[in-house]
Amino acid sequence: MAEKQILETQKLESKLEQTTLTAKQDESATGEQPLFEYPKSPTMQSTFIDLLKHGQLATPSLFSAPPDEPLGMDGWKQLTLATQHGAWDVVYTSTTRRCHDFARLLAQRLTCEFVPDERLCELNFGSWIGLTQEEIFARDPELLQQYYFQPRRFIAPNGESMDYFMWRVTEAWADLLLAQQGKRVLILTHTGVIRAIIAKALDLLYQKSLRFAVHPACFTRLQIYPDGEVSLLGHGLKMV
């Protein structure tokens, strides 16, 4: 068992090294630079939180992927490019493989704290996991419509209710803010979690957060002031 874990770790590290090399080559070609920098000498101990969606999956057509679905090679490259200039004090991650694998290696590279949290996993879509949106629409058209237009009433077939999902994400968010005050935090997670955090942080209805497009390997940056006020510094950023 130990030898198997070592081999898997070596494979992941090799994959990250390969995508890092390709990312550096792409950066040289495009000349892209980070869009935001942290204040050099902050007068207030704000907390800066970057929400990052995982990269493209090995099976990108799925509406909801299984927990063990890995990143594809394009996904590794996307995340490597997105995080190459990042400087975080702590990396939080969903425990799903598509987030955890990259986040663990990134935390090792940055020599920073690493916090896997299952509360940051995507909503459990139950019987819809592993299906495309077209397959779901053919099977449960009314329920799919409810998910998009009345999301707070939604309960996934043989899965999780939206109310419970919002509760656990909100609990994770509150615990993070308490534990990481004044730090630079990365959260590598999923579309639904990012929208739930945006809704909580900006005091929006979850349905309003559906207006925020969440693309693979793109950031949302939030600044949380000591008094609890929140500023949205950027959304849909390819680099920070």
Side-chain angles (χ1 to χ4, degrees), residues 57-74:
L57 305 182
T59 313
S61 61
L62 298 179
F63 177 84
S64 176
D68 59 352
E69 175 74 14
L71 292 172
M73 283 303 299
D74 285 344

Side-chain angles (χ1 to χ4, degrees), residues 123-142:
L123 187 146
N124 178 1
F125 283 97
S127 300
W128 289 1
I129 293 174
L131 302 179
T132 65
Q133 182 162 296
E134 291 74 17
E135 290 171 330
I136 295 169
F137 186 75
R139 178 185 296 188
D140 298 309
E142 293 182 1

Side-chain angles (χ1 to χ4, degrees), residues 119-189:
R119 295 175 298 177
L120 297 173
C121 292
E122 184 60 279
L123 187 146
N124 178 1
F125 283 97
S127 300
W128 289 1
I129 293 174
L131 302 179
T132 65
Q133 182 162 296
E134 291 74 17
E135 290 171 330
I136 295 169
F137 186 75
R139 178 185 296 188
D140 298 309
E142 293 182 1
L143 195 55
L144 185 61
Q145 290 288 320
Q146 185 185 62
Y147 171 71
Y148 284 117
F149 296 104
Q150 295 178 308
R152 289 308 298 263
R153 297 184 179 182
F154 176 76
I155 302 176
N158 300 311
E160 193 173 25
S161 71
M162 181 63 74
D163 276 347
Y164 181 78
F165 168 73
M166 292 294 293
W167 174 81
R168 66 169 165 84
V169 173
T170 299
E171 288 290 297
W173 176 249
D175 290 347
L176 182 154
L177 293 181
L178 185 63
Q180 308 298 342
Q181 186 174 6
K183 294 183 180 180
R184 300 164 299 177
V185 182
L186 174 68
I187 304 176
L188 182 50
T189 185

Side-chain angles (χ1 to χ4, degrees), residues 44-62:
M44 301 175 64
Q45 290 299 312
S46 292
T47 305
F48 290 88
I49 298 181
D50 292 322
L51 309 174
L52 176 62
K53 181 181 174 178
H54 59 77
Q56 184 173 300
L57 305 182
T59 313
S61 61
L62 298 179

Side-chain angles (χ1 to χ4, degrees), residues 9-47:
T9 300
Q10 290 174 341
K11 288 180 181 178
L12 290 175
E13 290 174 346
S14 175
K15 188 178 293 184
L16 184 58
E17 287 173 0
Q18 292 172 5
T19 51
T20 299
L21 178 59
T22 306
K24 288 180 178 178
Q25 292 171 344
D26 288 354
E27 181 192 5
S28 298
T30 61
E32 290 190 48
Q33 295 297 325
L35 298 178
F36 287 92
E37 293 184 0
Y38 296 106
K40 300 296 183 182
S41 301
T43 56
M44 301 175 64
Q45 290 299 312
S46 292
T47 305

